[in-house]
Amino acid sequence: GNSVTQMEGPVTLSEEAFLTINCTYTATGYPSLFWYVQYPGEGLQLLLKATKADDKGSNKGFEATYRKETTSFHLEKGSVQVSDSAVYFCALSEATGANNLFFGTGTRLTVIP
Amino acid sequence: EAGVAQSPRYKIIEKRQSVAFWCNPISGHATLYWYQQILGQGPKLLIQFQNNGVVDDSQLPKDRFSAERLKGVDSTLKIQPAKLEDSAVYLCASSLEYNSPLHFGNGTRLTVT
């Protein structure tokens, strides 16, 4: 079946630190992979996505590369800001778009000044 | 464009009572989803509509949960009777088409006492 395993949180970083949040997946076929972000008091927002192996999704300084050989989609950012404090969810979908999403448990990031 | 609207924002009920949640998707979005997010877990799909027809309700506990999407626009999700384990955030999402990116509402936080 389909599942997503995410790095346990919470993660606390100082401003301008490097961020990595690990995500691995199990899926049948060739899923699309996503990172969603949930800021305090707000709904889930799509941060970035990749639809095939070796694709790199990027947005707002965040990047993640679809690694089929390691079934991973780790989220990275070179220099985090206080405004990046949020909960980050890795997710997969069997469809090319964002059909039924299977989510990881989420990783809470807190960035301190 | 206006986002996905959900109400109420919060709801507290006693076990065995009934409760209903409402969702208004983004105008023109044909696909509507209800997700359940239990504290510490990622969202899990309950039901997916395409216009006013059900595409997937395999994870919906049909003995107590029901959902409808009359006229292919607004949707309501009902729980009757509620159990303690139904305490969660109920998220509504919509997408333009079957394989388009999902847009999430802010959710309804349900507490069952």
PDB file of all heavy atoms in Angstrom, chain B residues 61-73:
ATOM      1  N   PRO B  61     -16.292   5.947   7.915  1.00  0.00           N
ATOM      2  CA  PRO B  61     -17.026   5.025   8.810  1.00  0.00           C
ATOM      3  C   PRO B  61     -18.528   5.222   8.632  1.00  0.00           C
ATOM      4  O   PRO B  61     -19.153   6.041   9.299  1.00  0.00           O
ATOM      5  CB  PRO B  61     -16.558   5.453  10.204  1.00  0.00           C
ATOM      6  CG  PRO B  61     -15.363   6.324   9.988  1.00  0.00           C
ATOM      7  CD  PRO B  61     -15.561   6.980   8.653  1.00  0.00           C
ATOM      8  N   LYS B  62     -19.087   4.464   7.744  1.00  0.00           N
ATOM      9  CA  LYS B  62     -20.455   4.733   7.280  1.00  0.00           C
ATOM     10  C   LYS B  62     -21.527   4.462   8.330  1.00  0.00           C
ATOM     11  O   LYS B  62     -22.677   4.872   8.145  1.00  0.00           O
ATOM     12  CB  LYS B  62     -20.736   3.937   6.011  1.00  0.00           C
ATOM     13  CG  LYS B  62     -19.808   4.305   4.846  1.00  0.00           C
ATOM     14  CD  LYS B  62     -20.129   3.492   3.618  1.00  0.00           C
ATOM     15  CE  LYS B  62     -19.116   3.769   2.512  1.00  0.00           C
ATOM     16  NZ  LYS B  62     -17.757   3.320   2.878  1.00  0.00           N
ATOM     17  N   ASP B  63     -21.149   3.774   9.405  1.00  0.00           N
ATOM     18  CA  ASP B  63     -22.158   3.543  10.447  1.00  0.00           C
ATOM     19  C   ASP B  63     -22.468   4.829  11.209  1.00  0.00           C
ATOM     20  O   ASP B  63     -23.528   4.948  11.828  1.00  0.00           O
ATOM     21  CB  ASP B  63     -21.680   2.454  11.408  1.00  0.00           C
ATOM     22  CG  ASP B  63     -20.357   2.787  12.068  1.00  0.00           C
ATOM     23  OD1 ASP B  63     -19.555   3.537  11.450  1.00  0.00           O
ATOM     24  OD2 ASP B  63     -20.104   2.310  13.188  1.00  0.00           O
ATOM     25  N   ARG B  64     -21.545   5.818  11.142  1.00  0.00           N
ATOM     26  CA  ARG B  64     -21.781   7.040  11.910  1.00  0.00           C
ATOM     27  C   ARG B  64     -21.517   8.305  11.113  1.00  0.00           C
ATOM     28  O   ARG B  64     -21.983   9.377  11.488  1.00  0.00           O
ATOM     29  CB  ARG B  64     -20.891   7.042  13.156  1.00  0.00           C
ATOM     30  CG  ARG B  64     -21.183   5.901  14.115  1.00  0.00           C
ATOM     31  CD  ARG B  64     -20.336   5.981  15.375  1.00  0.00           C
ATOM     32  NE  ARG B  64     -18.898   5.961  15.095  1.00  0.00           N
ATOM     33  CZ  ARG B  64     -18.119   7.007  15.152  1.00  0.00           C
ATOM     34  NH1 ARG B  64     -18.622   8.188  15.469  1.00  0.00           N
ATOM     35  NH2 ARG B  64     -16.829   6.889  14.904  1.00  0.00           N
ATOM     36  N   PHE B  65     -20.758   8.216  10.053  1.00  0.00           N
ATOM     37  CA  PHE B  65     -20.415   9.379   9.238  1.00  0.00           C
ATOM     38  C   PHE B  65     -21.238   9.358   7.950  1.00  0.00           C
ATOM     39  O   PHE B  65     -21.441   8.296   7.351  1.00  0.00           O
ATOM     40  CB  PHE B  65     -18.934   9.366   8.860  1.00  0.00           C
ATOM     41  CG  PHE B  65     -17.989   9.729   9.967  1.00  0.00           C
ATOM     42  CD1 PHE B  65     -17.880   8.932  11.101  1.00  0.00           C
ATOM     43  CD2 PHE B  65     -17.190  10.854   9.873  1.00  0.00           C
ATOM     44  CE1 PHE B  65     -16.986   9.255  12.118  1.00  0.00           C
ATOM     45  CE2 PHE B  65     -16.302  11.194  10.878  1.00  0.00           C
ATOM     46  CZ  PHE B  65     -16.199  10.386  11.999  1.00  0.00           C
ATOM     47  N   SER B  66     -21.658  10.549   7.539  1.00  0.00           N
ATOM     48  CA  SER B  66     -22.304  10.684   6.244  1.00  0.00           C
ATOM     49  C   SER B  66     -21.903  12.020   5.643  1.00  0.00           C
ATOM     50  O   SER B  66     -21.557  12.964   6.364  1.00  0.00           O
ATOM     51  CB  SER B  66     -23.833  10.596   6.368  1.00  0.00           C
ATOM     52  OG  SER B  66     -24.324  11.685   7.124  1.00  0.00           O
ATOM     53  N   ALA B  67     -21.923  12.087   4.331  1.00  0.00           N
ATOM     54  CA  ALA B  67     -21.570  13.334   3.651  1.00  0.00           C
ATOM     55  C   ALA B  67     -22.402  13.454   2.392  1.00  0.00           C
ATOM     56  O   ALA B  67     -22.766  12.450   1.779  1.00  0.00           O
ATOM     57  CB  ALA B  67     -20.087  13.368   3.309  1.00  0.00           C
ATOM     58  N   GLU B  68     -22.681  14.684   2.045  1.00  0.00           N
ATOM     59  CA  GLU B  68     -23.406  14.924   0.799  1.00  0.00           C
ATOM     60  C   GLU B  68     -22.898  16.194   0.145  1.00  0.00           C
ATOM     61  O   GLU B  68     -22.336  17.078   0.809  1.00  0.00           O
ATOM     62  CB  GLU B  68     -24.911  15.012   1.046  1.00  0.00           C
ATOM     63  CG  GLU B  68     -25.330  16.125   1.976  1.00  0.00           C
ATOM     64  CD  GLU B  68     -26.838  16.128   2.218  1.00  0.00           C
ATOM     65  OE1 GLU B  68     -27.533  15.190   1.802  1.00  0.00           O
ATOM     66  OE2 GLU B  68     -27.310  17.096   2.832  1.00  0.00           O
ATOM     67  N   ARG B  69     -23.092  16.263  -1.144  1.00  0.00           N
ATOM     68  CA  ARG B  69     -22.689  17.449  -1.896  1.00  0.00           C
ATOM     69  C   ARG B  69     -23.822  17.731  -2.888  1.00  0.00           C
ATOM     70  O   ARG B  69     -23.770  17.337  -4.052  1.00  0.00           O
ATOM     71  CB  ARG B  69     -21.381  17.231  -2.636  1.00  0.00           C
ATOM     72  CG  ARG B  69     -20.843  18.512  -3.225  1.00  0.00           C
ATOM     73  CD  ARG B  69     -19.564  18.307  -3.990  1.00  0.00           C
ATOM     74  NE  ARG B  69     -19.049  19.599  -4.444  1.00  0.00           N
ATOM     75  CZ  ARG B  69     -18.146  19.728  -5.411  1.00  0.00           C
ATOM     76  NH1 ARG B  69     -17.661  18.671  -6.019  1.00  0.00           N
ATOM     77  NH2 ARG B  69     -17.717  20.918  -5.764  1.00  0.00           N
ATOM     78  N   LEU B  70     -24.823  18.404  -2.398  1.00  0.00           N
ATOM     79  CA  LEU B  70     -25.985  18.697  -3.215  1.00  0.00           C
ATOM     80  C   LEU B  70     -25.614  19.718  -4.287  1.00  0.00           C
ATOM     81  O   LEU B  70     -24.873  20.666  -4.023  1.00  0.00           O
ATOM     82  CB  LEU B  70     -27.115  19.231  -2.336  1.00  0.00           C
ATOM     83  CG  LEU B  70     -27.603  18.248  -1.264  1.00  0.00           C
ATOM     84  CD1 LEU B  70     -28.655  18.901  -0.387  1.00  0.00           C
ATOM     85  CD2 LEU B  70     -28.135  16.973  -1.890  1.00  0.00           C
ATOM     86  N   LYS B  71     -26.125  19.506  -5.473  1.00  0.00           N
ATOM     87  CA  LYS B  71     -25.929  20.421  -6.600  1.00  0.00           C
ATOM     88  C   LYS B  71     -24.454  20.581  -6.974  1.00  0.00           C
ATOM     89  O   LYS B  71     -24.092  21.523  -7.669  1.00  0.00           O
ATOM     90  CB  LYS B  71     -26.543  21.794  -6.322  1.00  0.00           C
ATOM     91  CG  LYS B  71     -28.039  21.744  -6.033  1.00  0.00           C
ATOM     92  CD  LYS B  71     -28.606  23.129  -5.768  1.00  0.00           C
ATOM     93  CE  LYS B  71     -30.086  23.036  -5.445  1.00  0.00           C
ATOM     94  NZ  LYS B  71     -30.677  24.358  -5.139  1.00  0.00           N
ATOM     95  N   GLY B  72     -23.596  19.722  -6.463  1.00  0.00           N
ATOM     96  CA  GLY B  72     -22.200  19.751  -6.855  1.00  0.00           C
ATOM     97  C   GLY B  72     -21.425  20.961  -6.387  1.00  0.00           C
ATOM     98  O   GLY B  72     -20.372  21.268  -6.949  1.00  0.00           O
ATOM     99  N   VAL B  73     -21.903  21.653  -5.343  1.00  0.00           N
ATOM    100  CA  VAL B  73     -21.187  22.828  -4.846  1.00  0.00           C
ATOM    101  C   VAL B  73     -20.835  22.619  -3.377  1.00  0.00           C
ATOM    102  O   VAL B  73     -19.858  21.949  -3.067  1.00  0.00           O
ATOM    103  CB  VAL B  73     -22.014  24.110  -5.054  1.00  0.00           C
ATOM    104  CG1 VAL B  73     -21.234  25.337  -4.587  1.00  0.00           C
ATOM    105  CG2 VAL B  73     -22.385  24.272  -6.527  1.00  0.00           C
TER     106      VAL B  73
END
